[in-house]
Amino acid sequence: MLLRRCSFESPFRCIPSSILILCRLFSFNPDDDVQKVYSIISSTSSSEELKQSLKSSGIFLSNDLIDQVLKRVRFSHANPSQTLEFFRYTGRRKGFYHTPFSLDTMLYILGRSRMFGHVWDLLIEARRKDQTVITSRTLMVVLARIAKVCSVRQTVESFRRFKKLIPDFDINCFNALLRTLCQEKSMTDARNVYHSLKHSFRPNLQTFNILLSGWKTPEDAEGFFEEMREMGVTPDVVTYNCLVDVYCKGRQMEKAYKVLDEMRERDLSPDVITYTCIIGGLGLIGQPDKARDVLKEMKEYGCYPDVPAYNAAIRNFCIAKRLGDSYGLMDEMMEKGLSPNATTYNLFFRIYYWCNDLQSSWNMYKRMMVVGCLPNTQSCMFLIRLFRRQEKVEMALQLWSDMVEKGFGSYTLVSDVLFDLLCDTGKLREAEKCFLEMIEKGQKPSMVSFKRIKVLMELANRHEELQSLTQKMATFGRPLPTDDGIMKGMARGLSAVAEIEGKMTKRPDMSLRICRGTCVKDSSNVAQKRGFNCYLGEPV
């Protein structure tokens, strides 16, 4: 136990140490200690400095405290390298074992920073010390980060490596793989992997619910639904919700209502998710008023709308450009004790961005901050792009300052647009300040942004500052700390795309972005949609 030693000059030196220990335990404030440890991780720059600061703090590093600290690091985008040192330092204590939550959170932090070598090292260390902390959730956390920048084949190979790490390598692990592929790759990839590996596992209800949840065409969903019945698996509310969702997205509302009738015949009550899908479907066919009526009708069946249900109704009116009705629903949900979330505000930010309405966007942002609803990455991107379009430097810097202070949004995505704005308007000192703030958070700025700032510094003869920035950038090492084969595979994939398209891309910067994995989820990217997954999703 790490306890603060009593000074010789303390007026309490005559009190027995056992009483001091009890007083400290009963006066323990977890929130204060979490903030102190988080500050130590953020402010220290070396392993030894971290250890000394933790020892001198006298804070008892319990499992619950470590869980909360790692959670804070995850959502605040703190330094991943120092966080790993903290994790290993606390884990080396005699008789101490990390919780599964701590391990999963640490792996997520490393995976987000693409430190995959450390991910596997940490998993091997965990297996040697306590194999029970590695669960199917651990597998899903790791595979999700790998799938963002690696091929389907490499994702499946990583899945197979877990067979030596997880004590119970069963259907839950297989379901975790399928869920990852549905979320990070494509449903076609998930279907191919399912048919390739289904004989090694016995598919259950959750397997089919995962596969049904991602299809956008009713024909594919109906095919899995029939296979499910043939295998004797009884559908539940989640299964029917998946069917309702795919019918609503396909604008086949009659079939969606038939599924509702079938649910009631089987004594399965539609839940709030069912009605939310119906609300979204009615909006797609241009009936926002009828969708709003569903909010009232569902109460008659004992089902009360939640925030996502209201968001679906608000979205319908936003699409119809009836902002007055959207505001009315937002006020209604607040009157019912439901707090709008970042998704609610993003519906309005999207409309303001399309209309180039800067003032309304800024007012909405200030409203979010007042009510305590922190923006997410999508909110920040709508705002920063609008600031960039209208060259509003002060607003952009205010947004960045709030991000750094409160720890919301993606520094990497927002900083690229911010540095473009600052460099174009000649705000070199502000760009340098934001650049250093990002590095202090343990986040690597893009090389494109660094090169822009480098050129301006050279023109301004600020060679010493440039040398300092170059040294700080060097601490991050290679752009992608993964196997060389991954980068080569992605490059080959991009070449295959060019051959499929019948022409070479004229944007070399796009090639670089795809190889680094920053465009993997950009649905507007033709290479990613038509060729990238085609190459990376070869049959396993």
Side-chain angles (χ1 to χ4, degrees), residues 31 120 132-133 153 194 217 299 352 431 442 445 517 519 527:
D31 291 335
W120 292 113
T132 60
V133 298
R153 175 184 293 174
Y194 165 75
T217 57
K299 298 175 186 177
Y352 297 146
C519 272

Side-chain angles (χ1 to χ4, degrees), residues 311-370:
N311 286 348
I314 291 172
R315 177 180 178 274
N316 294 339
F317 285 117
C318 286
I319 293 175
K321 298 181 181 180
R322 293 167 56 180
L323 291 183
D325 292 309
S326 298
Y327 284 126
L329 281 176
M330 192 173 180
D331 294 336
E332 179 183 320
M333 66 185 291
M334 294 180 70
E335 291 173 0
K336 296 183 180 297
L338 299 174
S339 299
N341 55 20
T343 303
T344 314
Y345 290 100
N346 288 344
L347 296 171
F348 294 97
F349 282 134
R350 186 186 302 274
I351 295 296
Y352 297 146
Y353 178 77
W354 288 344
C355 299
N356 202 27
D357 191 343
L358 175 65
Q359 193 57 51
S360 296
S361 294
W362 187 244
N363 292 339
M364 185 65 72
Y365 171 69
K366 290 193 292 185
R367 175 176 175 176
M368 287 184 75
M369 301 305 290
V370 169

Side-chain angles (χ1 to χ4, degrees), residues 158-190:
S158 299
F159 167 74
R160 287 176 172 145
R161 288 182 67 178
F162 269 94
K163 191 172 184 179
K164 299 179 180 179
L165 298 172
I166 297 182
D168 299 321
F169 195 71
D170 54 12
I171 185 62
N172 293 325
C173 298
F174 183 49
N175 290 341
L177 170 64
L178 295 177
R179 186 182 298 277
T180 298
L181 295 175
C182 290
Q183 293 175 347
E184 305 298 341
K185 294 300 183 183
S186 70
M187 290 304 300
T188 303
D189 295 327

Side-chain angles (χ1 to χ4, degrees), residues 29 127 220 228 334 414:
N29 190 330
R127 183 191 63 176
D220 292 316
M228 177 182 179
M334 294 180 70
V414 175

